[in-house]
Amino acid sequence: DAMVIQNPRYQVTQFGKPVTLSCSQTLNHNVMYWYQQKSSQAPKLLFHYYDKDFNNEADTPDNFQSRRPNTSFCFLDIRSPGLGDAAMYLCATSYGVDETQYFGPGTRLLVL
Amino acid sequence: ELKVEQNPLFLSMQEGKNYTIYCNYSTTSDRLYWYRQDPGKSLESLFVLLSNGAVKQEGRLMASLDTKARLSTLHITAAVHDLSATYFCAVDHTGTASKLTFGTGTRLQVTL
């Protein structure tokens, strides 16, 4: 089945230790998104790729970076995680900008 | 800045009862989504509403959109326990790449 896959599902890191979260998709969608969702809050868009074009949200901290080496994969890099970065990170994809976004299962990040 | 508000934030209802969740948004948009999220899980797409007056139904859920009033509703008919989840509306920013702003979420609890 075509799907959006995120690895790992759970990630524990230490304060200040860089961490990378992975997203892959078999939907052949050209747009990929990263959202941050803190406990009991709505998802918040961090950035998205339209094909190879990177689009950062104005209020996304510099601590968050992303890479998209090919259509299928997208990575979220947190350079120096703080306690406030503990959250569920959701990857989503869509085919073009006018289509429904499909979400992966998420990676829950814990910062010690 | 686009603001999306839902009410109620929490809803406890008995099985068999009907209720409506409201989603208000602050700026023009022609596309509105409803998502469901089970605890600790990702987001599942329920409906996409693309034009004024759009109405979509799936099982016990029916969603509608009034773009003039900037209001969407999610109506639950004869609730069952399996509908217990958090429901988010999300508004697509008009004229930009698909960038969703999520509502605050409504946590629905259906009791026996």
Side-chain angles (χ1 to χ4, degrees):
Chain A
D1 288 340
M3 54 200 305
V4 182
I5 302 162
Q6 290 186 244
N7 286 302
R9 297 292 308 278
Y10 299 91
Q11 176 74 57
V12 180
T13 191
Q14 292 178 333
F15 183 92
K17 186 174 180 182
V19 65
T20 295
L21 309 182
S22 170
C23 177
S24 64
Q25 52 124 344
T26 60
L27 297 163
N28 202 31
H29 285 171
N30 58 340
V31 190
M32 295 186 78
Y33 310 80
W34 280 104
Y35 289 85
Q36 180 193 62
Q37 185 178 26
K38 295 188 177 180
S39 181
S40 300
Q41 295 185 20
K44 181 179 179 300
L45 181 64
L46 295 173
F47 25 59
H48 74 277
Y49 274 94
Y50 189 105
D51 293 321
K52 294 182 180 180
D53 293 333
F54 177 70
N55 298 270
N56 197 32
E57 292 302 294
D59 56 356
T60 297
D62 292 340
N63 197 26
F64 291 86
Q65 305 285 321
S66 185
R67 296 170 284 134
R68 189 180 185 185
N70 53 54
T71 301
S72 300
F73 284 86
C74 195
F75 299 98
L76 170 62
D77 299 309
I78 308 175
R79 292 192 297 186
S80 182
L83 298 178
D85 296 328
M88 174 80 89
Y89 290 87
L90 296 164
C91 173
T93 72
S94 69
Y95 186 72
V97 299
D98 295 333
E99 300 295 326
T100 298
Q101 293 183 26
Y102 293 91
F103 285 79
T107 295
R108 185 168 295 280
L109 177 67
L110 180 62
V111 181
L112 300 178
Chain B
E1 179 189 350
L2 174 61
K3 292 188 188 238
V4 184
E5 294 182 346
Q6 287 180 236
N7 69 83
L9 297 182
F10 180 76
L11 174 58
S12 180
M13 57 190 298
Q14 287 183 323
E15 277 200 336
K17 300 292 187 183
N18 304 331
Y19 208 83
T20 300
I21 299 170
Y22 297 89
C23 173
N24 292 90
Y25 53 98
S26 61
T27 62
T28 302
S29 175
D30 292 327
R31 188 170 292 111
L32 188 139
Y33 300 85
W34 284 95
Y35 285 89
R36 167 183 172 145
Q37 187 175 38
D38 291 297
K41 305 288 187 181
S42 189
L43 294 160
E44 174 190 354
S45 175
L46 295 174
F47 301 107
V48 53
L49 303 168
L50 299 176
S51 61
N52 187 41
V55 177
K56 291 205 174 171
Q57 182 163 6
E58 180 73 32
R60 301 175 188 274
L61 301 177
M62 183 172 70
S64 66
L65 178 62
D66 181 344
T67 58
K68 294 178 182 177
R70 298 176 186 167
L71 170 69
S72 180
T73 61
L74 180 66
H75 186 74
I76 303 155
T77 302
V80 292
H81 181 68
D82 286 351
L83 290 179
S84 298
T86 298
Y87 292 85
F88 290 98
C89 64
V91 176
D92 200 341
H93 300 218
T94 298
T96 67
S98 179
K99 293 167 62 171
L100 296 182
T101 296
F102 281 82
T104 45
T106 296
R107 185 176 161 209
L108 172 65
Q109 185 177 62
V110 181
T111 58
L112 298 173

